[in-house]
């Protein structure tokens, strides 16, 4: 795996002449964030050696090199999920490639279900921590010390300094932010009402099918991580209310300008 990552990074290095140290992972329905980027190159995943290919609507499948707020960045327009049939190592392969390219700070977004009935669709949640017992850990198996230690510390998976900066950015711009714990699951089914209740009881304010594996791999390699969820549905809901992927994408699109503002200003501050 290490050799494949290095090969992919060597292929991409020609596009990273600006030396980006900030990476961005865009979740379901959040691809329009790329309009904020002064794009220099967009490389389809299919052209990158050993890269998986996105199969989910709302994930365009390109690695974008450019600038935001004057800072060089690399953005993943589309991510990979365990439920697509990819193994955990494949899910985090792009994160390891970003680190090999020199990325030190990773900004992650996702669409998630909310478990707090007082919240509403379209709310933004700062992820302060996560619960990953229900997602397959990408570090299972033989550890490669070239990536990181056998037992990486996870006491601060999401950089507190970046969370503090995001709070201030939101306050300065009159945006309300929720905060809470992200609960990772495998998907692809949306959760049952009983599962939402259990997740809420266990301390999860949002639940989703991505992010935790990426964060584990990033922290394994010493990267700083910041992540936000767009609450695209409220799981503890009225009995007749069902959830569709189309509604999730619609809610994510509606919240995108607020998330874009926070990401842009956070990058500006780095």
């Amino acid at each position: 795996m290490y050799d494949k990552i290095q090969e992919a990074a060597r292929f991409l290095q020609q596009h990273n002449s600006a030396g980006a140290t900030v990476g961005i992972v865009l979740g379901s329905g959040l691809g329009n964030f790329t309009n904020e980027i002064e794009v220099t190159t967009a490389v389809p995943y299919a052209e990158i050696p050993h890269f998986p290919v996105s199969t989910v609507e709302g994930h365009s499948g390109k690695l974008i090199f450019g600038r935001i707020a004057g800072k060089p960045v690399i953005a993943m327009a589309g991510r990979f999920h365990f439920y697509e049939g990819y193994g955990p190592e494949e899910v985090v392969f792009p994160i390891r490639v970003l680190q090999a390219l020199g990325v030190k700070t990773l900004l992650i977004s996702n669409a998630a279900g909310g478990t707090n009935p007082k919240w509403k669709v379209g709310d933004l949640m700062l992820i302060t921590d996560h619960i990953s017992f229900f997602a397959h850990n990408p570090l299972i198996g033989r550890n490669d010390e070239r990536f990181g230690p056998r037992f990486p510390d996870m006491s601060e998976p999401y950089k507190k300094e970046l969370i503090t900066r995001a709070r201030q950015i939101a306050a300065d711009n009159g945006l309300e932010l929720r905060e809470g714990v992200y609960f990772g699951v495998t998907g692809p089914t949306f959760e049952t009402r009983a599962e939402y209740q259990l997740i809420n009881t266990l301390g999860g304010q949002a639940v989703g099918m991505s992010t935790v594996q990426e964060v584990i791999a990033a922290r394994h390699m010493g990267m700083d991580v910041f992540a936000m969820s767009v609450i695209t549905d409220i799981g503890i809901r009225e009995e007749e209310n069902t959830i569709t992927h189309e509604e999730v994408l619609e809610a994510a699109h509606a919240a995108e300008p607020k998330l874009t503002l926070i990401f842009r200003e956070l990058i500006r501050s780095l």
Side-chain angles (χ1 to χ4, degrees), residues 127-238:
I127 300 179
T128 57
D129 208 337
H130 71 232
I131 296 171
S132 64
F133 298 147
F134 293 79
H136 288 236
N137 194 307
L139 306 187
I140 291 174
R142 186 179 64 85
N143 185 60
D144 191 330
E145 293 287 338
R146 290 172 291 186
F147 293 133
R150 169 75 281 186
F151 302 106
D153 176 65
M154 290 295 289
S155 60
E156 190 181 339
Y158 303 90
K159 188 73 172 177
K160 292 178 182 178
E161 179 185 347
L162 297 177
I163 292 172
T164 299
R165 291 187 195 184
R167 288 186 186 119
Q168 188 59 54
I169 291 166
D172 291 345
N173 289 275
L175 298 180
E176 180 184 23
L177 291 184
R178 307 294 190 180
E179 297 188 21
V181 174
Y182 180 88
F183 195 103
V185 296
T186 64
T189 52
F190 291 114
E191 292 67 42
T192 68
R193 289 169 173 83
E195 287 167 342
Y196 269 114
Q197 293 281 359
L198 174 65
I199 289 166
N200 183 257
T201 300
L202 292 176
Q205 284 76 49
V207 55
M209 308 169 193
S210 68
T211 301
V212 296
Q213 292 171 323
E214 297 159 346
V215 173
I216 289 169
R219 293 300 301 135
H220 185 224
M221 298 181 293
M223 301 167 78
D224 291 336
V225 178
F226 172 83
M228 292 189 70
S229 292
V230 177
I231 303 301
T232 51
D233 65 86
I234 303 298
I236 300 174
R237 59 198 187 275
E238 296 176 3

Side-chain angles (χ1 to χ4, degrees), residues 28-29 111-112 190 232-233 243-253:
S28 295
F190 291 114
T232 51
D233 65 86
I243 303 170
T244 68
H245 187 57
E246 290 72 24
E247 290 169 337
V248 167
L249 295 179
E250 182 180 348
H253 283 310

Side-chain angles (χ1 to χ4, degrees), residues 1-17:
M1 185 59 70
Y2 181 85
D3 291 339
K4 291 180 178 180
I5 288 163
Q6 296 305 310
E7 184 181 347
R10 284 193 297 271
F11 172 83
L12 292 166
Q13 193 60 58
Q14 61 186 309
H15 304 298
N16 192 32
S17 58

